[in-house]
Amino acid sequence: MSTLDIPELALVALVGVSGSGKSTFARRHFAPTQVLCSDTFRAMVADDENDQSASGDAFEVLHHVAGKRLRAGRLTVVDATNLQQHARAGLVTVAREHDVLPVAIVLDVPEPLCWERTQARPDRTFGRQVLGRMQRDLRRSVGRLEREGFRKVHVLRGVEEIEAAEIRYEKLFNDRRELTGPFDIIGDVHGCRAELEALLLRLGWTLHRDGSGRPVNATHPEGRTAIFVGDLVDRGPDSPGVLRLVMGMVGAGTALCVPGNHEQKLLRKLRGRNVTVSHGLAETLAQLDGEEPGFVAEIAAFVDGLVSHYVLDGGRLVVAHAGLKAEYQGRASGRVRAFALFGETTGETDEYGLPVRYPWARDYRGSAMVVYGHTPTPAPEWVNNTICIDTGCVFGGALTALRYPSRELVAVPAAKEYYRPARPLTSTPAALPSGAAEASSGSTGRPGAAERDDLGLDLRDVTGRRHLDYGYGTVTVPAENAAAALEVMSRFAVDPRWLPWLPPTMAPCSTSTVEGFLEHPAQAFEDYRRAGVDRVVCEEKHMGSRAVVLVCRDEVDPAAAAGAGRFGPGDGVVYTRTGRPFFGGRLDRALLARVRAAVGGAGLWAELDTDWLLLDCELLPWSAKAGGLIREQYAPVGAAGRAALPAVLDALDRAAGRDLPVADLRDRMARRATDLDRYTEAYRSYVRPTDGLAGVTLAPFAVLATEGASHAGRDHGWHLALADRLHGADPELFTPTRRRVVDLGDSVAEKAATDWWLELTGAGGEGMVVKPYAGLGARDAEGRLLQPGLKCRGREYLRIIYGPEYAEPDQLAVLRQRSLGRKRGLALREHGLGLAALDRLADGAPLWRRHELVFAILACESEPVDPRL
């Protein structure tokens, strides 16, 4: 039995003459979707799989499809004769373009058997001399395959060997997804052995020394694994000592290591290659002169065995010396290795004569966190879920480690400047006093790692038809909806940095069957009871305008690199449910100042350990924001009715006096006049005069997020308690939200809540919102997200929505046929996108990762849904 080892991701070319059994072999060992057959593609372009004149077009399409599969990371098998060098060269090119390994499997079957099989196929009409020519091509090809670029070549000779063959898939050396950590990822050491020892000790590692007292291994009591990002050698005082320790740790299985460009240059020198001795290599070579030849040979073998990069923790983490673009991760080619070692340059040099490096991290859109070194930086900074942890220890900076998955940064200062850098570090490690470590959370943006999430927005991230898997579900954003959202975002919305979340639309409860009511609490309770919810909170629904308030404790300087600086310069923002500034200018600033003072007065800055707060609110009165709408849409209806109906009733009264049969019509017009009065009274109850902020109140009902935390998992009791404290701190600005907590199934509690609703709505209130008490992230028994709230609007309020006469029995009967499914589906999609946006905000995700979700919420608003629901 022959076992053929094939990388899990590869382009596999089957090589053999016609009749050698390539298609049969492919069917036996590979899934149908993995196999691209040249005959099939000839049939696609020419309606005849034997039309050799169509081969050029057929292979052009085949290569295109193969490229699409390889780009998506899928094994691809090409079933063709592949006997001509030019045909194989095309496949090798496709493999190289997508940084995968090309593999050849040769089926060498005796010519008489191939001829016998060919004659048995009526679609094969060529002569035996063609088969003979194929056999000669096969013999010439076998010895060339490796020189042509095929990394693995398997030759199966004879039918028995072919039938006994088995495919065994092997992972690439860089694929260590099974390792989940926790990890301590250590930046460029450059021969600074003393600092490396100090850093390991600070991280809780135990050093193990040989008889001469030299450290040769280290272990961690919690089973952590160290990962070194390369550049262990050159410039520093003890490159052999660093190598001895790291090699011991890797050999013992307590560490992984990727190569740096300095190790690669050292390896070439140790192998006798002609290299320029510069950039600290001379120091390393001088230090190695004092070592045993056997140890130097071990160093060469160690460096030679290092893998360009590692993909870890199920693909969530990538470590490479100079970083790695998303399309290179988990791939294997010279191009991938070169990028991992050296990064990418613009071809220019700076004023110090050093190459200008292309800022690939600004364009990074991968889901994996990338940790790298190579280019010294004064302080680690997060850019689009990537971080450089080379803080220039050998240049007098610090040696830094990133703890994964906690994203904590730990550093020790360099004892001295061992090597003068060609380009000075732009700041000194003053924040790292001797004997102290810097620890900071990159996910929260607290002092330490600067979060550069203000960079990297790209129009391509949000335009066109897009499919998003956001963790709570999936959504497809049509191109036309994206275009509508782009119009709002680009022309009217606040700075995207200050727009971390948008409120979802809210669906009403199921249509009521209670006489005279379109919506009623009984249906809201029943909706949640069917979903398995046992406790709800009924919150007074304020009739105003939705307002989201992002308020900072202090003014953020444009140069700030931490805390609320992730949002850009400023002290906060107030925006509408479509992301527009609420009032704009002076009024927004004044409102933020009041909110900021109240948050401080309520003691929430310290209690929540945050420098910013994200609040979901309703701003009252409705007329403060909707004055134009009231004047242009609602008031004209009332005015027209009040002008016309008295004259209509007078005319009908005169007609009745002449004994005309108008009684029914007169009653209907009288009811219409009464309904119109109720309609006018309904919208007028939400109108009151305001002057600037005088007369304006804010009703918060959720503290959505604070620094490093989403509070979607908190129950509504917690949220409303904080809202009450804000009211206590500034009762003139903040309006409390009245509520009732109801245990479903308790008929007394349900009736009490219903009576309360009737009282609220009878006094002119809009109604109430019924929510699962467990919080915004509540799920049903099957783990599906629940509606975050169901609105239950009052009978009189609905006149504003459906018209003055909507409660007439005939109209109510029609309205009860309304369909809620589309509205509820939209509400859930927007809610899930919002939760994901809060999660990414809390996790310190880059701006583009948050913005694509907020943008999708706004795009969902273009869905054609009855606006009255």
Side-chain angles (χ1 to χ4, degrees), residues 386-440:
T386 76
I387 187 169
C388 175
I389 58 171
D390 179 5
T391 46
C393 181
V394 77
F395 301 126
L399 184 61
T400 298
L402 174 73
R403 311 203 89 177
Y404 179 90
S406 66
R407 300 179 75 160
E408 176 191 3
L409 287 163
V410 178
V412 296
K416 57 182 287 188
E417 181 185 85
Y418 297 102
Y419 196 93
R420 184 172 296 278
R423 181 196 299 117
L425 292 177
T426 58
S427 65
T428 61
L432 297 170
S434 179
E438 175 186 13
S440 66

Coordinates of all heavy atoms in Angstrom, one line a residue, residues 386-440:
T386 N -3.9 44.4 14.9 CA -2.5 44.0 14.8 C -1.7 44.8 15.8 O -2.1 45.9 16.2 CB -1.9 44.2 13.4 OG1 -1.7 45.6 13.2 CG2 -2.9 43.8 12.3
I387 N -0.6 44.3 16.3 CA 0.2 45.0 17.3 C 1.7 44.7 17.1 O 2.1 43.5 16.9 CB -0.2 44.8 18.7 CG1 0.5 45.7 19.7 CG2 -0.1 43.3 19.1 CD1 0.0 45.7 21.1
C388 N 2.5 45.7 17.0 CA 4.0 45.6 17.0 C 4.5 45.7 18.4 O 4.2 46.7 19.1 CB 4.6 46.6 16.1 SG 6.4 46.6 16.1
I389 N 5.2 44.6 18.9 CA 5.7 44.6 20.2 C 7.2 44.7 20.3 O 7.8 44.4 21.3 CB 5.2 43.4 21.0 CG1 5.7 42.1 20.3 CG2 3.7 43.4 21.2 CD1 5.4 40.8 21.1
D390 N 7.8 45.2 19.2 CA 9.3 45.5 19.3 C 9.4 46.9 19.8 O 9.1 47.9 19.1 CB 9.9 45.4 17.9 CG 11.4 45.8 17.9 OD1 11.9 46.0 19.0 OD2 12.0 45.8 16.8
T391 N 9.8 47.1 21.1 CA 9.9 48.4 21.7 C 11.4 48.8 21.9 O 11.7 49.5 22.8 CB 9.2 48.4 23.0 OG1 9.4 47.3 23.8 CG2 7.7 48.5 22.8
G392 N 12.3 48.2 21.0 CA 13.6 48.7 20.9 C 14.5 48.5 22.2 O 15.2 49.4 22.6
C393 N 14.4 47.3 22.8 CA 15.2 47.1 24.0 C 16.7 47.3 23.8 O 17.3 48.0 24.6 CB 15.0 45.6 24.4 SG 15.8 45.2 26.0
V394 N 17.2 46.8 22.7 CA 18.7 47.0 22.4 C 19.1 48.4 22.2 O 20.2 48.8 22.4 CB 19.1 46.1 21.2 CG1 18.7 46.7 19.9 CG2 20.6 45.8 21.3
F395 N 18.1 49.3 21.8 CA 18.3 50.7 21.6 C 18.1 51.5 22.9 O 17.9 52.8 22.8 CB 17.5 51.2 20.5 CG 17.7 50.5 19.2 CD1 16.7 49.9 18.5 CD2 19.0 50.3 18.6 CE1 16.9 49.2 17.3 CE2 19.2 49.6 17.4 CZ 18.1 49.1 16.8
G396 N 17.9 50.9 24.0 CA 17.6 51.6 25.2 C 16.2 51.7 25.5 O 15.8 52.5 26.5
G397 N 15.3 51.0 24.8 CA 13.9 51.1 25.1 C 13.4 50.1 26.1 O 13.8 50.2 27.3
A398 N 12.6 49.1 25.7 CA 12.1 48.2 26.6 C 11.9 46.8 25.9 O 11.8 46.8 24.7 CB 10.8 48.6 27.3
L399 N 11.9 45.8 26.7 CA 11.5 44.5 26.1 C 10.1 44.2 26.5 O 9.8 44.2 27.7 CB 12.5 43.4 26.6 CG 12.3 42.0 26.0 CD1 12.5 42.0 24.5 CD2 13.2 41.0 26.7
T400 N 9.2 43.9 25.5 CA 7.8 43.9 25.8 C 7.2 42.5 25.5 O 7.7 41.8 24.5 CB 7.1 44.9 25.0 OG1 7.5 46.2 25.4 CG2 5.5 44.9 25.2
A401 N 6.3 42.1 26.3 CA 5.5 40.8 26.0 C 4.0 41.1 26.0 O 3.5 42.0 26.7 CB 5.8 39.8 27.0
L402 N 3.3 40.4 25.1 CA 1.9 40.5 25.0 C 1.3 39.2 25.6 O 1.6 38.1 25.1 CB 1.4 40.7 23.6 CG -0.2 40.7 23.4 CD1 -0.8 41.9 24.0 CD2 -0.5 40.5 22.0
R403 N 0.5 39.3 26.6 CA -0.1 38.1 27.2 C -1.4 37.8 26.4 O -2.3 38.7 26.3 CB -0.4 38.3 28.6 CG 0.8 38.8 29.4 CD 0.7 38.4 30.9 NE 1.3 37.1 31.1 CZ 1.5 36.5 32.3 NH1 1.0 37.2 33.4 NH2 2.0 35.3 32.5
Y404 N -1.6 36.7 25.9 CA -2.7 36.3 25.1 C -3.5 35.1 25.8 O -2.8 34.2 26.3 CB -2.3 35.8 23.7 CG -3.4 35.3 22.8 CD1 -4.1 36.2 22.0 CD2 -3.9 34.0 22.8 CE1 -5.1 35.8 21.2 CE2 -4.9 33.6 22.1 CZ -5.5 34.5 21.2 OH -6.6 34.1 20.4
P405 N -4.8 35.2 25.9 CA -5.7 36.1 25.2 C -6.1 37.4 26.0 O -6.9 38.1 25.5 CB -6.9 35.2 25.0 CG -7.0 34.4 26.3 CD -5.5 34.1 26.6
S406 N -5.5 37.6 27.1 CA -5.9 38.8 27.9 C -5.5 40.1 27.3 O -6.1 41.2 27.7 CB -5.4 38.7 29.3 OG -4.0 38.8 29.3
R407 N -4.6 40.1 26.4 CA -4.1 41.3 25.7 C -3.4 42.3 26.7 O -3.3 43.5 26.4 CB -5.3 42.1 25.0 CG -5.9 41.2 23.9 CD -7.1 41.9 23.2 NE -6.5 42.9 22.3 CZ -7.3 43.4 21.3 NH1 -8.5 43.0 21.1 NH2 -6.8 44.3 20.5
E408 N -2.9 41.7 27.7 CA -2.2 42.6 28.7 C -0.7 42.7 28.2 O -0.1 41.8 27.8 CB -2.2 41.9 30.1 CG -1.3 42.6 31.1 CD -1.2 41.7 32.4 OE1 -1.7 40.6 32.4 OE2 -0.5 42.2 33.3
L409 N -0.2 43.9 28.3 CA 1.2 44.2 27.9 C 2.0 44.3 29.1 O 1.7 45.0 30.1 CB 1.2 45.5 27.1 CG 0.7 45.4 25.7 CD1 0.4 46.8 25.1 CD2 1.7 44.7 24.8
V410 N 3.2 43.6 29.1 CA 4.1 43.6 30.2 C 5.5 43.9 29.7 O 5.9 43.3 28.7 CB 4.1 42.3 31.0 CG1 5.1 42.3 32.1 CG2 2.7 42.0 31.5
A411 N 6.2 44.9 30.3 CA 7.5 45.2 29.7 C 8.5 45.5 30.8 O 8.1 45.8 32.0 CB 7.3 46.5 28.9
V412 N 9.8 45.3 30.5 CA 10.9 45.7 31.4 C 11.8 46.7 30.7 O 12.0 46.5 29.5 CB 11.7 44.5 31.9 CG1 10.8 43.6 32.8 CG2 12.3 43.7 30.8
P413 N 12.3 47.7 31.3 CA 13.2 48.6 30.6 C 14.5 48.1 30.4 O 15.0 47.2 31.1 CB 13.2 49.8 31.6 CG 13.0 49.2 33.0 CD 12.1 48.0 32.8
A414 N 15.2 48.5 29.3 CA 16.5 48.1 29.0 C 17.5 48.7 30.1 O 17.3 49.8 30.6 CB 16.9 48.6 27.7
A415 N 18.5 48.0 30.4 CA 19.5 48.5 31.4 C 20.3 49.6 30.9 O 20.7 50.5 31.6 CB 20.4 47.3 31.8
K416 N 20.4 49.7 29.5 CA 21.2 50.7 28.9 C 21.0 50.7 27.4 O 20.3 49.8 26.9 CB 22.7 50.5 29.2 CG 23.2 49.2 28.7 CD 24.7 49.0 29.0 CE 25.6 49.8 28.1 NZ 27.0 49.5 28.3
E417 N 21.5 51.7 26.7 CA 21.4 51.7 25.3 C 22.7 50.9 24.8 O 23.8 51.3 24.9 CB 21.5 53.1 24.7 CG 21.4 53.1 23.2 CD 21.6 54.5 22.6 OE1 22.8 54.9 22.5 OE2 20.6 55.2 22.4
Y418 N 22.4 49.7 24.3 CA 23.5 48.8 23.9 C 24.0 49.1 22.5 O 25.2 48.8 22.1 CB 23.1 47.3 23.9 CG 22.7 46.8 25.3 CD1 21.3 46.7 25.6 CD2 23.6 46.5 26.2 CE1 20.9 46.2 26.9 CE2 23.3 46.0 27.5 CZ 21.9 45.9 27.8 OH 21.6 45.4 29.0
Y419 N 23.1 49.7 21.7 CA 23.5 49.9 20.3 C 22.7 51.2 19.8 O 21.5 51.3 20.1 CB 23.0 48.7 19.4 CG 23.6 48.6 18.1 CD1 24.7 47.9 17.8 CD2 23.0 49.2 17.0 CE1 25.2 47.7 16.5 CE2 23.5 49.1 15.7 CZ 24.6 48.4 15.5 OH 25.2 48.2 14.2
R420 N 23.5 52.1 19.2 CA 22.8 53.4 18.8 C 22.0 53.1 17.5 O 22.5 52.7 16.5 CB 23.9 54.4 18.6 CG 23.3 55.8 18.3 CD 24.3 56.9 18.2 NE 25.0 57.0 19.5 CZ 24.4 57.8 20.5 NH1 23.3 58.4 20.3 NH2 25.1 57.9 21.7
P421 N 20.7 53.4 17.6 CA 19.9 53.2 16.4 C 20.2 54.2 15.3 O 20.5 55.3 15.6 CB 18.5 53.3 16.9 CG 18.6 54.3 18.1 CD 19.9 54.0 18.7
A422 N 20.0 53.7 14.1 CA 20.2 54.6 12.9 C 19.1 55.7 12.9 O 19.3 56.8 12.6 CB 20.1 53.8 11.6
R423 N 17.9 55.3 13.3 CA 16.7 56.2 13.5 C 16.4 56.3 14.9 O 16.0 55.3 15.5 CB 15.5 55.7 12.7 CG 14.3 56.7 12.8 CD 13.0 56.0 12.3 NE 13.1 55.6 11.0 CZ 13.0 54.3 10.6 NH1 12.9 53.3 11.5 NH2 13.0 54.0 9.3
P424 N 16.5 57.5 15.6 CA 16.3 57.5 17.0 C 14.8 57.2 17.4 O 13.9 57.5 16.6 CB 16.5 59.0 17.3 CG 17.4 59.5 16.2 CD 16.9 58.7 15.0
L425 N 14.7 56.5 18.5 CA 13.3 56.3 19.0 C 12.7 57.6 19.3 O 13.4 58.5 19.9 CB 13.4 55.4 20.2 CG 13.8 53.9 20.0 CD1 13.8 53.2 21.3 CD2 12.8 53.2 19.1
T426 N 11.5 57.8 19.0 CA 10.9 59.1 19.2 C 10.5 59.5 20.6 O 10.2 60.6 20.9 CB 9.6 59.3 18.3 OG1 8.7 58.2 18.7 CG2 10.0 59.1 16.8
S427 N 10.6 58.5 21.5 CA 10.4 58.8 22.9 C 11.2 57.9 23.8 O 11.6 56.8 23.3 CB 8.9 58.8 23.3 OG 8.4 57.4 23.1
T428 N 11.4 58.2 25.0 CA 12.2 57.4 25.9 C 11.2 56.6 26.8 O 10.1 57.0 27.0 CB 13.1 58.2 26.8 OG1 12.2 59.1 27.6 CG2 14.1 59.0 26.0
P429 N 11.7 55.5 27.3 CA 10.8 54.7 28.2 C 10.6 55.2 29.6 O 10.8 54.5 30.6 CB 11.5 53.3 28.2 CG 12.9 53.7 28.1 CD 13.0 54.9 27.2
A430 N 10.3 56.5 29.7 CA 10.2 57.2 31.0 C 9.1 56.5 31.8 O 9.1 56.6 33.0 CB 9.9 58.7 30.8
A431 N 8.1 56.0 31.1 CA 7.0 55.3 31.8 C 7.4 54.0 32.4 O 6.6 53.3 33.0 CB 5.8 55.2 30.9
L432 N 8.6 53.6 32.2 CA 9.1 52.3 32.6 C 10.3 52.5 33.6 O 11.4 52.2 33.2 CB 9.5 51.4 31.4 CG 8.4 51.1 30.4 CD1 9.0 50.4 29.2 CD2 7.4 50.2 31.1
P433 N 10.0 52.9 34.8 CA 11.1 53.1 35.7 C 11.8 51.8 36.0 O 11.2 50.7 35.9 CB 10.4 53.7 37.0 CG 9.0 53.2 36.9 CD 8.7 53.2 35.4
S434 N 13.0 51.9 36.5 CA 13.8 50.7 36.7 C 13.1 49.8 37.8 O 12.7 50.3 38.8 CB 15.2 51.1 37.3 OG 16.0 50.0 37.6
G435 N 13.0 48.5 37.4 CA 12.4 47.6 38.3 C 10.9 47.6 38.2 O 10.3 46.8 39.0
A436 N 10.3 48.4 37.3 CA 8.8 48.4 37.2 C 8.4 47.8 35.9 O 9.2 47.8 34.9 CB 8.3 49.8 37.4
A437 N 7.2 47.4 35.8 CA 6.7 46.9 34.5 C 5.5 47.7 34.1 O 4.8 48.2 35.0 CB 6.3 45.4 34.7
E438 N 5.3 47.8 32.9 CA 4.1 48.4 32.4 C 3.1 47.4 32.0 O 3.4 46.4 31.2 CB 4.4 49.3 31.1 CG 3.2 49.9 30.5 CD 3.5 50.6 29.2 OE1 4.6 50.4 28.7 OE2 2.7 51.3 28.7
A439 N 1.9 47.4 32.5 CA 0.9 46.5 32.2 C -0.4 47.2 31.8 O -0.8 48.1 32.5 CB 0.5 45.6 33.4
S440 N -0.9 46.9 30.6 CA -2.1 47.6 30.2 C -2.9 46.7 29.3 O -2.4 45.7 28.8 CB -1.7 48.9 29.4 OG -1.0 48.5 28.2

